[in-house]
Amino acid sequence: MSQAAVLTIKQVIGIRSSVSNCVAFQDEQTLVYPAGGNIVLYGIDQKAQKVIPCTPNAQALTTIAVSPNRRAIAIAERINDQPQVTVYDLQSGKKRKTLHTEVIKSNEIVSLLFSADSKYLLTQGGPDYTLVYWTWEKSKIMASTEVRTAAQSNTTVTQVSFNPQDNTQICAVGHGLFKMFRYAESALKPSQSLKQEHYNFTSHCWVSDDRIVAGTDSGKLFVIQNGEILHEIKLDLKSDLRSVTSQYLTSEERSNDSMGENTRQEVKCILPFSRGFIVAAGINKVYIFDRFDDNKEYFRQNREILLPDDPADKSHNQQVVSMCLSPSEETLEIATFSYLTEGYHHAQVTGVDVCVRKQLIATCGIDKSVRIWNYETGTLEVGKEFQEEAYTVSLHPSGLFVLVGFSDKLKLFTILIDDLRPFKEFPIRGCRDALFSNGGHVFAAVHGNVIQIYSTVTFENITNLKGHNGKVRQLVWSPDDTRLFSCGMDGAIYEWELATSKRLHEAVLKACGYTGLSLSADAKTVYAVGTDRKIKEILDAQQILREIPLTPEDMQPTSIALSHTGKSLIVGTSKGTVRSYKFPLTKADEFTEYLGHVGMINRLRITFQDEYIVSIGDDGLVILWKLQEQGVSKKDKETTFAEEILITKTDLEEKNALILDLNQRVTELREENEYQLKLKEMNYAERIRELTDKFMQEMENLKTKNTVVTGEKEKEANKHAEQVHDLLEKQNKELQDLESSNNQKLMLEYEKYQELQAKTQKTQEEYEKQIMELENRKEEEVTRQRMQYTTQLEKLKNDLILEREKTKQQSRDHEETKRQIEEDADEEILKMMQGNEQTLIECKEENISLKNKSTTFQRKVKDLEESIKKKEVDLVSLKNEENKLQQAIRGLKKDIEGLKKEIQERDETIQDKEKRIYELKRKNQELEKFKFVLDYKIKDLKKQIEPRELEIKDMKEQITNMEAELERLSKSNDEERLQKEELKQKLGVSGVALQQEKQIKRDSELVLKRIKTDLHNCSALLQEPKLLRQKVLEIHQQYVHDDATEEANVDQDIQKEYSRQRDHLERTVKSLKQKLDKDSDRHKNDNIRIMQENVTLIKEINDLRRELKSARVKLQDLQTSMGISRKMAATTTDQIVQALHTHKNNHIVNEKHNQLENLIARQRSEIHRLNEHLLHIEGGSRPPSGQLPPINSALAAH
């Protein structure tokens, strides 16, 4: 039995930019970043990768950190919903330490950092935000603390850091949080926080031992020291100035759906370097800030980096997620969502295919891009982005064409040298799988549950293979291209014969939805995986020989691939691992598992020569695995690959023309440069002669100046030496005087000290004598008292019997007096002891003060000795200054030489500029000539424009006429469309009737056939008339009914009546439509006429109003002429008549009265007529607002 094939990762194409701090330098040429379930060490120059696998059962990887000594890398992972930090050795790739603790109550670590000496490690948990201080080499927790307080429950921590100069000082920033901690006494103690208002900090870095630069989500930078904001910098995120281009840029597996304004302005990363710091903020932008030369505390923007565009990404919205600097600060590495040295996929990869004749693989994904890679060199050959997502991709065996399935169509592209050019489109919507045959003459494409076969020569649909009831997941061609194998989610595996379009064999298992399919080299055995978590070995696509279950239960196989040699079986799983099984299959546990992706593996492909395996997954990665099979030599795998590429004829002609043009320009420039060089050599020779003479004179002058300066320098040196000698003598004298005076003072102080010491001894002796005398006195007094008391006792004993009470009293008095005497003696003794002790203490203090004075004098002596040493040091410094002056003289000489060279260079530049000015003047003259010619041409063109304008006017009139004609044609088209719909309806009704007639015909034929069979059966009874008659009667009763003819006649009459009524209704509808058209035209004309009449009537009304106004004016004139004021004027006609009757004798008044009555009567009649006319118009004699009456009313009228 052969062993399982060995897989090793050759290259990981992609990066996990969801991991914070996802890029770092190991050295100048090695970049470290996470990709899938591995840590990749990428050699920038060699373009080679080394892979360190992470923990296999890790649920997520949140952040990484590389130690400052570049020897270790720490990885923060989430395992079984618990945070864990694993430290790996970057040189050997081995695991060094695993750190986990119950102090962190959250399920992940959001920030991770090594100290400057690489001995300590900081871990910041989230969302409980517990900060832990580790000695990682001992796996020991030094201290831990809660970063936020109970009042800061809504704040979050985004980053923590060590002070680069002090490992005990720590900074933590976040949304609404800025805190400093100090490690002391095995605890992290808060030292200071931001004293101003709170900001949402997203990133920070240390720029000195006490100063921090912090960035916010609003695009602001703050320079902070001791909890106070020293300086604020507002980034200009709207400018698009491109100043410098970075060399290497990075990408990631995931894509952002949308970014808000805050996200566009957010400061993503701040990186310190020796001269300042680098900031990543906004979209496509990186800013570099340097310190001011005159003020080290403030910074200014030095340059702005605009990130280069991804050749396959047209959005140009790259957001920086991480940055790092090389150790020499020469290379800046920037990680974005879509770029790392080549254009990587930054979302789920859905399709992959390999080429036979070229070392190419094609991939596509939901990031709307298709990319062609060279799997031998690991470089991107061609990349292109589209408007919609790509579901599947298939390479032609020649490597010159590629099929891509989109949501609307399946497209065939030609692979050019630097582009994918569309060649043919096929109407297949949502094609999830397409595959060229091994010969490339046909290809199969999935359209839902139908497989369509097309010819790559004529692009015709050869046949359609129908049979699946669910989605088809994978297609595989047989080696001779005569058969096609397919599997689907309906649990079916079919073997199709292309020549007959029929199914040869099938294996259906409805409980399993197949996701992957592979075929043996002889096309007899099929290997499939599906949702039932088993690997199935199926013979001839119909008989299941073996089933191998997968373990554990939460793992499901998603894809399968079998090598062309038939010795390696590779399975991809839902957890991103790749399994290599022993082949042939025997046991479920005989496999080797390799960690690659972090999401589900979507597809596996093996190259034609069985050298590499390509896997793609949901994490946006493309991984190249090197396949090493047991018992297969390299010679068996060696093949020759094609190197031809496609280029269009126009591009080739343009490039050839460009090459010829450039060659001509090169020859012309070479000749011109040779001529210019000759001229310059002649001019330079003359200039050199002039400058040598000039510089020789200057050299002589400088030599004289130098001799003068050296003489002055010697004088100054002698003067300086004399001054130094005088100062030394003066210093020695002062030193001797100080020593003598100090010695005298010391002797006096010593004598005082001895006197005080003798005095203390005398006082002590006197004190001791007094104590002895007091003790003697006490003893004598005690003996005397004792004798007295004994005598008294004798007397008392004699008188004891008689005077007991008196004796008792006397004894009590005696005891009292004795106690008082003893107390008085004790008090005297204590007073004397206290007085003597006080005097002793004073003497001791005086002695101590004298000792202090002596020590001060000794210090003064030492200070004087130090001052002497300083003077000697000053002397040495003066000598050093002398040496510096000599060096400065040498530097000035070098500056003189440099200035000479600069003068020579400036003369050359002046000469070049003079030539340039002459050329510009000559070009200016030519341009003035061109200007004169152009002015003349402009005048001619203006003359030619006038007839053109007339033609344009005529054309506009024609356009208006044509638009009217177009409107008329559109109306006729609408009418024809209505007629077409009516005909379709008629056709549908007639089709239904035809179907009914056909059904009747079929029924009648069946009845007739039955009658014939019954009559044929009756022919056997010809010899028996009774039975024959009875049988005929039964047939008659069975098939002949009286009402059948009536029903048939009735049905026929109903049909005729129906057709007659239908024809009548159609004729009436047609006539009504014609009448409607006529009525609409008539109403339109009436409407226009009424509108015109309304206009004329309005004009007449306005004229009448003006006449009425003039009449009123005349009436007022009459009233004034008749002497009637407005207040006294009659308000009615009767009053006017009465007023006129009062003046009837006046002839003039009578005439005016008659005229006024006639005028009033005419005005009243005219007003009455106009009112009636207005009522008639407003009453509805015309339709309101010029609209036609509704169609229903018009039809009802007809």
Side-chain angles (χ1 to χ4, degrees):
M1 182 182 295
S2 62
Q3 295 181 354
V6 179
L7 301 182
T8 55
I9 294 179
K10 179 182 182 290
Q11 185 175 10
V12 182
I13 302 174
I15 184 173
R16 290 177 70 178
S17 64
S18 60
V19 179
S20 60
N21 299 325
C22 58
V23 289
F25 272 99
Q26 182 189 6
D27 52 38
E28 286 294 329
Q29 299 298 328
T30 306
L31 188 68
V32 181
Y33 59 90
N38 305 283
I39 299 296
V40 177
L41 279 67
Y42 177 70
I44 297 172
D45 288 342
Q46 297 83 9
K47 297 188 182 301
Q49 291 184 353
K50 179 184 175 183
V51 176
I52 300 175
C54 299
T55 308
N57 57 347
Q59 295 172 329
L61 194 153
T62 56
T63 182
I64 66 171
V66 175
S67 62
N69 60 9
R70 317 288 177 181
R71 295 180 182 176
I73 181 171
I75 302 168
E77 298 170 308
R78 186 170 72 247
I79 300 173
N80 298 325
D81 292 329
Q82 293 293 325
Q84 177 179 302
V85 178
T86 308
V87 183
Y88 294 90
D89 190 289
L90 280 174
Q91 301 295 330
S92 62
K94 295 180 180 179
K95 185 186 295 185
R96 293 184 63 179
K97 291 291 178 182
T98 300
L99 310 177
H100 53 82
T101 178
E102 295 181 357
V103 174
I104 301 175
K105 299 176 182 178
S106 59
N107 58 359
E108 66 179 21
I109 292 172
V110 297
S111 185
L112 188 70
L113 191 71
F114 283 95
S115 61
D117 57 2
S118 303
K119 292 182 180 179
Y120 304 102
L121 184 68
L122 273 182
T123 59
Q124 175 63 63
D128 68 332
Y129 300 111
T130 302
L131 181 64
V132 182
Y133 190 87
W134 297 81
T135 302
W136 66 270
E137 291 180 345
K138 299 179 181 179
S139 302
K140 180 182 177 183
I141 296 177
M142 304 287 288
S144 64
T145 184
E146 291 284 341
V147 175
R148 62 184 187 182
T149 61
Q152 296 174 327
S153 59
N154 295 327
T155 60
T156 60
V157 182
T158 57
Q159 188 183 6
V160 294
S161 66
F162 278 106
N163 187 333
Q165 306 297 328
D166 186 2
N167 292 338
T168 62
Q169 192 173 12
I170 296 164
C171 178
V173 299
H175 290 267
L177 184 139
F178 183 94
K179 280 190 176 182
M180 304 284 289
F181 296 90
R182 173 75 67 178
Y183 175 73
E185 298 176 358
S186 300
L188 289 172
K189 299 178 180 179
S191 59
Q192 55 189 318
S193 59
L194 194 63
K195 298 178 181 178
Q196 284 85 353
E197 59 179 310
H198 294 287
Y199 297 93
N200 291 335
F201 293 104
T202 57
S203 183
H204 76 283
C205 74
W206 294 79
V207 292
S208 67
D209 56 353
D210 60 348
R211 192 168 292 115
I212 294 172
V213 173
T216 66
D217 57 356
S218 60
K220 292 181 180 179
L221 297 174
F222 296 101
V223 182
I224 302 171
Q225 183 178 4
N226 298 327
E228 294 183 356
I229 296 175
L230 299 179
H231 184 46
E232 179 180 345
I233 303 170
K234 178 66 176 175
L235 296 175
D236 183 13
L237 301 174
K238 296 181 179 179
S239 61
D240 293 329
L241 180 63
R242 183 188 293 267
S243 58
V244 74
T245 304
S246 60
Q247 185 179 1
Y248 307 109
L249 296 167
T250 62
S251 97
E252 168 49 341
E253 67 211 312
R254 57 168 201 177
S255 66
N256 290 356
D257 296 331
S258 65
M259 288 182 293
E261 190 63 26
N262 290 334
T263 305
R264 293 176 182 273
Q265 295 180 356
E266 182 179 348
V267 177
K268 287 291 184 182
C269 185
I270 305 176
L271 191 67
F273 67 104
S274 59
R275 299 190 308 276
F277 59 91
I278 304 168
V279 180
I283 305 299
N284 301 338
K285 296 286 184 67
V286 174
Y287 306 89
I288 298 178
F289 288 84
D290 290 345
R291 290 186 177 89
F292 282 106
D293 295 333
D294 54 350
N295 192 345
K296 301 291 184 180
E297 295 182 357
Y298 296 98
F299 301 88
R300 62 183 173 189
Q301 183 176 336
N302 183 16
R303 71 177 79 175
E304 177 182 315
I305 298 175
L306 189 64
L307 304 186
D309 300 328
D310 185 349
D313 186 6
K314 298 178 182 177
S315 63
H316 309 311
N317 288 331
Q318 301 184 74
Q319 193 171 6
V320 177
V321 295
S322 183
M323 295 190 300
C324 65
L325 266 176
S326 62
S328 64
E329 297 185 354
E330 293 180 356
T331 305
L332 174 64
E333 188 73 27
I334 301 173
T336 70
F337 283 128
S338 60
Y339 214 93
L340 172 66
T341 64
E342 302 287 354
Y344 288 172
H345 287 286
H346 49 87
Q348 177 186 355
V349 184
T350 56
V352 64
D353 197 16
V354 297
C355 183
V356 177
R357 294 191 64 241
K358 291 185 178 182
Q359 295 172 319
L360 298 178
I361 58 173
T363 58
C364 65
I366 63 173
D367 58 354
K368 303 178 182 179
S369 65
V370 176
R371 302 171 193 265
I372 310 294
W373 311 84
N374 188 317
Y375 60 77
E376 192 64 40
T377 61
T379 56
L380 180 67
E381 297 284 337
V382 183
K384 190 170 184 178
E385 188 178 5
F386 301 92
Q387 296 297 323
E388 57 269 344
E389 298 174 0
Y391 297 135
T392 184
V393 66
S394 179
L395 277 170
H396 193 270
S398 64
L400 303 177
F401 302 97
V402 62
L403 268 175
V404 183
F406 297 99
S407 58
D408 56 345
K409 290 179 181 178
L410 177 67
K411 297 182 180 180
L412 180 67
F413 293 89
T414 304
I415 303 175
L416 301 180
I417 187 172
D418 56 356
D419 191 15
L420 297 177
R421 183 162 295 182
F423 185 73
K424 183 71 176 177
E425 294 181 353
F426 303 94
I428 301 175
R429 296 177 63 86
C431 180
R432 295 283 177 175
D433 195 13
L435 188 65
F436 278 105
S437 63
N438 296 317
H441 58 288
V442 293
F443 67 87
V446 174
H447 190 186
N449 55 2
V450 179
I451 303 170
Q452 296 183 353
I453 309 297
Y454 285 86
S455 170
T456 56
V457 179
T458 60
F459 302 110
E460 293 179 354
N461 186 3
I462 299 173
T463 183
N464 294 328
L465 306 177
K466 299 179 182 180
H468 283 281
N469 296 323
K471 292 182 179 179
V472 180
R473 294 300 299 269
Q474 191 169 356
L475 303 173
V476 178
W477 288 95
S478 63
D480 56 359
D481 292 337
T482 58
R483 289 171 294 164
L484 179 67
F485 294 81
S486 64
C487 69
M489 295 301 294
D490 56 352
I493 296 176
Y494 294 139
E495 180 182 356
W496 307 87
E497 188 176 14
L498 195 63
T500 60
S501 303
K502 292 182 180 179
R503 280 184 291 186
L504 294 178
H505 303 99
E506 62 181 28
V508 181
L509 186 62
K510 293 185 178 180
C512 172
Y514 290 105
T515 58
L517 185 69
S518 186
L519 190 65
S520 62
D522 56 0
K524 291 184 179 180
T525 308
V526 176
Y527 296 90
V529 293
T531 56
D532 61 350
R533 299 177 43 257
K534 292 180 181 178
I535 303 172
K536 295 179 178 61
E537 183 178 353
I538 305 171
L539 182 64
D540 293 330
Q542 59 184 352
Q543 182 184 356
I544 297 175
L545 294 178
R546 193 176 289 106
E547 290 184 349
I548 304 296
L550 258 72
T551 55
E553 294 182 356
D554 59 345
M555 184 176 289
Q556 182 177 336
T558 58
S559 57
I560 189 169
L562 183 66
S563 64
H564 298 85
T565 59
K567 295 185 178 182
S568 301
L569 184 67
I570 311 299
V571 177
T573 67
S574 58
K575 288 194 173 182
T577 59
V578 176
R579 291 186 175 185
S580 175
Y581 279 86
K582 284 187 177 181
F583 198 77
L585 296 172
T586 55
K587 297 180 181 180
D589 57 351
E590 292 182 346
F591 63 86
T592 307
E593 192 167 18
Y594 302 93
L595 180 63
H597 298 267
V598 293
M600 183 176 70
I601 294 178
N602 294 326
R603 195 61 61 91
L604 290 173
R605 284 285 186 270
I606 300 179
T607 57
F608 181 70
Q609 65 276 21
D610 292 335
E611 190 173 358
Y612 300 108
I613 298 173
V614 186
S615 64
I616 59 172
D618 287 347
D619 55 359
L621 297 182
V622 180
I623 300 180
L624 275 167
W625 306 80
K626 191 171 184 180
L627 179 63
Q628 296 177 358
E629 294 179 318
Q630 299 292 330
V632 179
S633 61
K634 291 184 179 179
K635 292 182 179 179
D636 298 338
K637 296 183 178 181
E638 288 181 357
T639 55
T640 56
F641 295 100
E643 296 182 355
E644 67 271 9
I645 55 173
L646 293 180
I647 187 171
T648 60
K649 187 177 181 181
T650 55
D651 292 342
L652 186 62
E653 289 175 353
E654 288 176 359
K655 287 183 179 180
N656 290 331
L658 182 63
I659 289 167
L660 291 172
D661 188 13
L662 290 173
N663 286 329
Q664 290 177 359
R665 287 180 63 186
V666 166
T667 54
E668 291 174 358
L669 287 170
R670 188 183 290 114
E671 293 174 355
E672 186 177 356
N673 287 332
E674 289 176 355
Y675 176 69
Q676 293 292 334
L677 283 171
K678 288 180 182 178
L679 291 176
K680 285 183 180 180
E681 285 176 356
M682 294 171 65
N683 292 327
Y684 289 156
E686 293 177 358
R687 292 295 295 254
I688 286 166
R689 285 196 296 271
E690 293 175 358
L691 289 171
T692 50
D693 297 336
K694 184 178 178 182
F695 290 146
M696 289 298 291
Q697 293 177 359
E698 289 181 356
M699 286 287 286
E700 290 176 356
N701 294 329
L702 289 170
K703 283 179 182 178
T704 55
K705 287 181 182 179
N706 191 12
T707 54
V708 173
V709 168
T710 52
E712 292 178 354
K713 182 222 171 207
E714 289 175 356
K715 290 178 182 179
E716 290 291 332
N718 294 327
K719 186 177 178 181
H720 178 68
E722 291 175 358
Q723 289 177 356
V724 169
H725 187 265
D726 295 337
L727 287 170
L728 289 172
E729 289 179 352
K730 187 177 179 182
Q731 184 183 4
N732 291 325
K733 289 179 181 179
E734 290 177 355
L735 186 62
Q736 289 175 1
D737 295 337
L738 287 169
E739 284 180 354
S740 61
S741 62
N742 286 326
N743 288 328
Q744 291 176 1
K745 288 179 182 179
L746 281 171
M747 291 300 290
L748 292 171
E749 294 295 330
Y750 185 68
E751 289 174 357
K752 287 180 182 180
Y753 172 70
Q754 286 180 348
E755 290 175 358
L756 289 170
Q757 195 171 5
K759 193 182 288 185
T760 53
Q761 287 178 358
K762 287 179 181 179
T763 53
Q764 192 170 1
E765 289 174 357
E766 290 176 356
Y767 171 69
E768 288 176 355
K769 287 178 181 179
Q770 289 176 2
I771 290 170
M772 292 296 289
E773 289 175 357
L774 289 171
E775 287 179 354
N776 294 327
R777 286 177 187 175
K778 181 182 176 185
E779 288 177 358
E780 290 175 356
E781 186 68 26
V782 168
T783 55
R784 188 179 62 77
Q785 290 290 335
R786 205 172 270 169
M787 292 295 290
Q788 187 178 357
Y789 291 147
T790 53
T791 56
Q792 288 177 2
L793 280 171
E794 288 176 356
K795 289 177 181 180
L796 288 170
K797 283 179 182 179
N798 297 325
D799 298 333
L800 184 61
I801 298 167
L802 300 173
E803 295 176 356
R804 184 172 288 178
E805 293 179 359
K806 189 177 180 178
T807 308
K808 288 180 180 179
Q809 184 67 34
Q810 286 178 356
S811 65
R812 285 195 294 271
D813 293 339
H814 172 71
E815 288 176 0
E816 182 68 24
T817 54
K818 182 182 176 183
R819 185 179 60 78
Q820 289 178 358
I821 289 166
E822 288 177 353
E823 287 179 357
D824 292 338
D826 291 335
E827 286 179 359
E828 288 178 1
I829 291 166
L830 288 170
K831 286 180 181 178
M832 291 178 73
M833 288 176 69
Q834 288 176 359
N836 292 325
E837 285 177 357
Q838 186 67 30
T839 55
L840 183 63
I841 288 166
E842 290 176 356
C843 291
K844 286 181 178 180
E845 288 178 354
E846 190 174 358
N847 192 7
I848 290 166
S849 64
L850 290 171
K851 285 182 179 179
N852 292 330
K853 287 180 181 179
S854 66
T855 53
T856 54
F857 286 127
Q858 289 175 1
R859 286 176 184 171
K860 287 180 180 179
V861 171
K862 289 181 180 179
D863 293 337
L864 290 170
E865 289 176 354
E866 289 177 357
S867 63
I868 290 165
K869 290 179 181 179
K870 287 181 180 178
K871 294 291 184 182
E872 291 176 354
V873 172
D874 293 337
L875 185 63
V876 173
S877 64
L878 289 170
K879 289 181 180 179
N880 292 328
E881 287 180 1
E882 184 180 357
N883 294 327
K884 288 179 182 178
L885 289 170
Q886 290 179 357
Q887 291 176 0
I889 290 165
R890 297 192 197 99
L892 289 169
K893 288 180 181 178
K894 291 180 181 179
D895 292 338
I896 289 165
E897 293 177 357
L899 289 169
K900 289 178 181 178
K901 291 179 181 179
E902 188 176 355
I903 290 165
Q904 185 177 358
E905 291 173 357
R906 288 186 179 181
D907 290 336
E908 292 174 357
T909 54
I910 289 165
Q911 188 176 3
D912 294 336
K913 287 181 179 179
E914 287 177 352
K915 290 181 181 179
R916 180 67 177 167
I917 290 164
Y918 175 73
E919 291 176 356
L920 290 171
K921 286 181 180 178
R922 191 176 63 189
K923 288 181 180 179
N924 193 9
Q925 292 176 359
E926 293 176 356
L927 290 171
E928 286 177 355
K929 292 178 182 178
F930 282 126
K931 182 183 177 183
F932 178 74
V933 173
L934 289 171
D935 290 335
Y936 181 73
K937 288 183 178 180
I938 287 165
K939 290 178 183 178
D940 293 338
L941 289 170
K942 284 181 179 178
K943 292 178 183 178
Q944 294 176 6
I945 284 168
E946 292 177 357
R948 293 289 178 90
E949 288 179 349
L950 295 173
E951 290 179 2
I952 289 165
K953 190 175 180 181
D954 296 336
M955 295 295 286
K956 284 181 179 179
E957 291 177 356
Q958 290 180 5
I959 287 165
T960 54
N961 296 329
M962 291 175 75
E963 287 177 350
E965 184 67 21
L966 182 63
E967 187 176 358
R968 186 181 63 77
L969 290 171
S970 65
K971 289 180 180 178
S972 64
N973 286 333
D974 293 337
E975 292 174 357
E976 289 177 356
R977 194 180 293 109
L978 291 171
Q979 292 177 2
K980 182 180 177 183
E981 290 177 355
E982 290 175 359
L983 290 172
K984 282 184 178 178
Q985 292 175 356
K986 289 181 182 178
L987 185 61
V989 172
S990 61
V992 171
L994 182 61
Q995 291 293 331
Q996 292 175 354
E997 289 295 330
K998 286 182 179 179
Q999 185 64 35
I1000 292 166
K1001 182 182 177 184
R1002 285 195 293 270
D1003 295 340
S1004 61
E1005 287 177 353
L1006 287 171
V1007 172
L1008 184 61
K1009 190 174 182 181
R1010 290 175 187 170
I1011 292 168
K1012 286 181 178 180
T1013 54
D1014 291 340
L1015 291 173
H1016 185 268
N1017 293 332
C1018 290
S1019 62
L1021 302 173
L1022 290 174
Q1023 302 298 327
E1024 297 178 359
K1026 290 181 180 181
L1027 294 174
L1028 180 62
R1029 184 173 179 278
Q1030 186 178 357
K1031 190 70 175 174
V1032 170
L1033 288 172
E1034 289 176 0
I1035 292 168
H1036 183 270
Q1037 290 175 0
Q1038 184 179 356
Y1039 294 106
V1040 179
H1041 301 284
D1042 296 334
D1043 57 349
T1045 55
E1046 293 178 0
E1047 288 178 358
N1049 294 326
V1050 170
D1051 292 337
Q1052 190 173 7
D1053 294 337
I1054 289 168
Q1055 187 68 25
K1056 287 180 181 179
E1057 182 65 22
Y1058 173 74
S1059 61
R1060 188 177 63 79
Q1061 290 287 341
R1062 181 178 177 82
D1063 294 335
H1064 175 69
L1065 288 172
E1066 287 176 354
R1067 285 195 297 274
T1068 54
V1069 168
K1070 190 173 181 181
S1071 63
L1072 287 171
K1073 284 183 179 180
Q1074 292 175 355
K1075 288 180 181 179
L1076 179 62
D1077 294 335
K1078 290 179 182 179
D1079 289 340
S1080 61
D1081 295 335
R1082 182 168 56 80
H1083 279 296
K1084 189 174 182 181
N1085 295 327
D1086 291 341
N1087 190 14
I1088 294 167
R1089 180 177 55 77
I1090 289 165
M1091 290 292 288
Q1092 292 174 355
E1093 289 177 358
N1094 287 339
V1095 172
T1096 55
L1097 288 170
I1098 289 165
K1099 287 181 180 178
E1100 288 178 1
I1101 289 165
N1102 291 328
D1103 295 337
L1104 289 171
R1105 284 176 179 169
R1106 284 194 292 272
E1107 289 178 1
L1108 182 61
K1109 190 175 180 181
S1110 62
R1112 286 176 180 171
V1113 172
K1114 287 179 182 178
L1115 182 61
Q1116 289 177 0
D1117 294 337
L1118 287 171
Q1119 287 175 356
T1120 54
S1121 63
M1122 288 188 297
I1124 300 170
S1125 64
R1126 289 184 179 180
K1127 293 180 180 179
M1128 296 172 61
T1131 56
T1132 59
T1133 308
D1134 296 332
Q1135 290 174 350
I1136 294 169
V1137 172
Q1138 288 177 3
L1140 291 172
H1141 279 296
T1142 57
H1143 301 281
K1144 61 183 178 179
N1145 294 325
N1146 194 345
H1147 180 69
I1148 296 169
V1149 172
N1150 289 329
E1151 289 180 357
K1152 293 222 180 205
H1153 173 258
N1154 293 326
Q1155 291 176 1
L1156 186 60
E1157 284 183 347
N1158 293 329
L1159 181 62
I1160 289 167
R1162 285 199 302 274
Q1163 291 293 338
R1164 282 180 176 173
S1165 63
E1166 186 66 25
I1167 289 166
H1168 182 68
R1169 186 182 67 81
L1170 290 171
N1171 284 331
E1172 288 180 351
H1173 190 65
L1174 283 171
L1175 289 170
H1176 179 69
I1177 291 169
E1178 292 175 355
S1181 62
R1182 65 183 179 86
S1185 68
Q1187 295 180 354
L1188 294 173
I1191 296 173
N1192 294 330
S1193 61
L1195 291 172
H1198 286 288

